[in-house]
Amino acid sequence: MSEDHTHVQEFFGTRAADWDRKFPADGPAFTKAVAEFGLRPGDRVLDAGCGTGRALTALRAAVGPAGTVLGADLTPQMLAAARRAGRDAEGALLLADVARLPLRDGVLDAVFAAGLIAHLPDPEANLRELARVVRPGGRLALFHPIGRAALAARQGRELTPDDMRAEHNLGPLLAGSGWDMTSYADEDARFLALALRRA
């Protein structure tokens, strides 16, 4: 396991039990983002870096009983918190690294990723792995329940032009990873970038 993985697991592992209590107001933002994602009944969707599974209920509602919902996370404590919250009833939870997903090529219609991109050790390669498991024309949502400026303020750091999530950086990053960005919203109350898997 790389130092990146160890750091991510340590950071989130110690915070898992209180994660939902710390951010109680995020639920509506997740629901709205999933609604804008354009999922259809019967779709197969992965919540990549699902954490405590806050998106799983909305994803299940979007794809319906005929759809498939998977949640993958690197941190066992986060998945345990998702199970305690009963969110495993909405989809299958996988202890997995999104950099090496245990899924076949093109098996999914969509990937939803909340807060994930900042924790990827090799963003271009890791986004390419997400593209690998999505069919051509499938969808990607990169989401955060608050925008870049609000998040930087929360974390006590300056927002700089080299921020990977800035539109002028994220578009080329996605393009180099097999995705075409179709919309970009960076507002105080949310960050949501949508992309389509290139054929």
Side-chain angles (χ1 to χ4, degrees):
M1 182 178 293
S2 74
E3 287 184 19
D4 288 308
H5 289 144
T6 302
H7 172 74
V8 167
Q9 285 184 319
E10 288 175 354
F11 179 88
F12 287 105
T14 59
R15 292 163 173 81
D18 294 321
W19 193 260
D20 288 355
R21 284 193 294 274
K22 189 172 180 183
F23 305 108
D26 287 351
F30 275 82
T31 300
K32 183 177 180 187
V34 170
E36 291 182 47
F37 193 18
L39 295 171
R40 294 170 299 220
D43 275 353
R44 298 156 299 174
V45 60
L46 169 69
D47 184 358
C50 67
T52 62
R54 294 183 294 169
L56 295 179
T57 300
L59 292 171
R60 171 56 67 196
V63 303
T68 299
V69 177
L70 303 173
D73 202 274
L74 187 63
T75 307
Q77 296 94 323
M78 281 289 195
L79 295 176
R83 288 187 188 94
R84 283 193 301 274
R87 295 180 181 132
D88 55 333
E90 309 294 351
L93 298 178
L94 307 173
L95 180 62
D97 181 357
V98 299
R100 290 184 304 278
L101 288 164
L103 300 171
R104 297 189 315 274
D105 293 0
V107 72
L108 299 173
D109 297 296
V111 172
F112 185 87
L116 176 70
I117 193 168
H119 301 287
L120 296 176
D122 185 347
E124 186 168 341
N126 302 151
L127 288 167
R128 195 175 303 119
E129 170 66 357
L130 295 181
R132 179 188 68 78
V133 299
V134 173
R135 63 169 174 77
R139 299 167 181 269
L140 172 69
L142 299 176
F143 169 71
H144 200 283
I146 60 175
R148 292 186 312 120
L151 183 60
R154 176 190 285 175
Q155 296 172 341
R157 60 179 174 80
E158 293 291 322
L159 190 60
T160 63
D162 63 347
D163 183 341
M164 178 174 35
R165 289 163 291 192
E167 187 172 8
H168 64 270
N169 296 325
L170 186 59
L173 174 62
L174 287 167
S177 307
W179 301 97
D180 292 318
M181 191 160 66
T182 58
S183 70
Y184 181 91
D186 181 19
E187 305 155 359
D188 283 347
R190 66 156 187 175
F191 175 89
L192 182 64
L194 302 179
L196 292 179
R197 168 76 160 86
R198 196 174 303 126

